[in-house]
Amino acid sequence: MKTNTHPHHPDITGEMWTRMDEIIANGKGQPGSLITVLRECQEVVGYLPSELLSHISHGLVLPTSQVFGVATFYSFFSLTPKGRHIVRVCTGTACYVKGIKEAMGRIDTTFDLKEGETTEDRRFTLEGVRCLGACGLAPVMVVDKDIYGDVTSNKVINILEKYE
Ligand code: FES
């Protein structure tokens, strides 16, 4: 395959481009390969920057609108970088009543981090989720794979400090 010129992107190394060019070459001309290509490229970089989506649309000879459309449609694709730790706070009714908003307020004042955002240093991504089915433990927070109950605004920062 002819070497493509790659757009400059701070999160994508030369090696990553080489791997992704192989992924794109494998998917080229194969109907329905777009999702696979996006998934594999996201595994390489960690997310799908817009420069990469343009590159993929070029490589697969698909309209940019289609590539962006698919990448934004599925929730397992992310167009922004994720933190090293994914923090999920439950915003369901029981957790709301028990004070998850206050805990989220504390997270914001301490880490400058709101729902749907990632910290500048990419330590945390904060996501709000609907009832986690553990209302007895409300308010509930899940960090990576660890579940925490009774997460009051007094406790929340101590818990998060454990995750570097
Ligand atoms: S509302 Fe939070 S676990 Fe059910």
Side-chain angles (χ1 to χ4, degrees):
M1 183 177 139
K2 189 169 136 289
T3 319
N4 287 322
T5 40
H6 298 120
H8 175 72
H9 194 283
D11 290 336
I12 308 178
T13 63
E15 276 170 30
M16 289 179 181
W17 282 121
T18 306
R19 274 177 62 197
M20 292 192 289
D21 280 341
E22 281 170 26
I23 292 167
I24 294 166
N26 284 337
K28 191 171 178 183
Q30 309 234 32
S33 67
L34 177 57
I35 289 185
T36 309
V37 170
L38 289 173
R39 191 173 44 72
E40 292 180 359
C41 287
Q42 178 166 279
E43 269 168 30
V44 174
V45 181
Y47 71 107
L48 298 167
S50 58
E51 294 87 340
L52 173 56
L53 292 177
S54 303
H55 187 71
I56 290 171
S57 90
H58 234 132
L60 293 180
V61 201
L62 291 174
T64 321
S65 58
Q66 185 183 346
V67 175
F68 275 78
V70 169
T72 48
F73 181 78
Y74 293 101
S75 61
F76 50 83
F77 292 131
S78 176
L79 275 60
T80 50
K82 293 274 184 184
R84 293 189 292 286
H85 304 289
I86 309 294
V87 181
R88 296 188 172 91
V89 284
C90 177
T91 56
T93 310
C95 291
Y96 192 89
V97 169
K98 292 275 192 141
I100 199 71
K101 281 283 161 204
E102 288 72 15
M104 289 167 79
R106 192 63 70 88
I107 292 173
D108 190 20
T109 40
T110 308
F111 297 109
D112 189 19
L113 177 64
K114 293 185 180 58
E115 187 176 340
E117 292 181 351
T118 296
T119 52
E120 286 277 322
D121 59 4
R122 301 213 188 147
R123 185 175 172 189
F124 297 119
T125 293
L126 182 66
E127 297 175 351
V129 291
R130 291 286 143 202
C131 181
L132 287 158
C135 308
L137 302 175
V140 180
M141 174 172 80
V142 179
V143 186
D144 300 332
K145 292 196 165 65
D146 307 328
I147 182 157
Y148 295 93
D150 193 22
V151 181
T152 57
S153 56
N154 289 332
K155 293 185 192 163
V156 68
I157 301 306
N158 275 344
I159 295 169
L160 291 176
E161 288 291 6
K162 290 189 276 191
Y163 295 85
E164 281 306 321

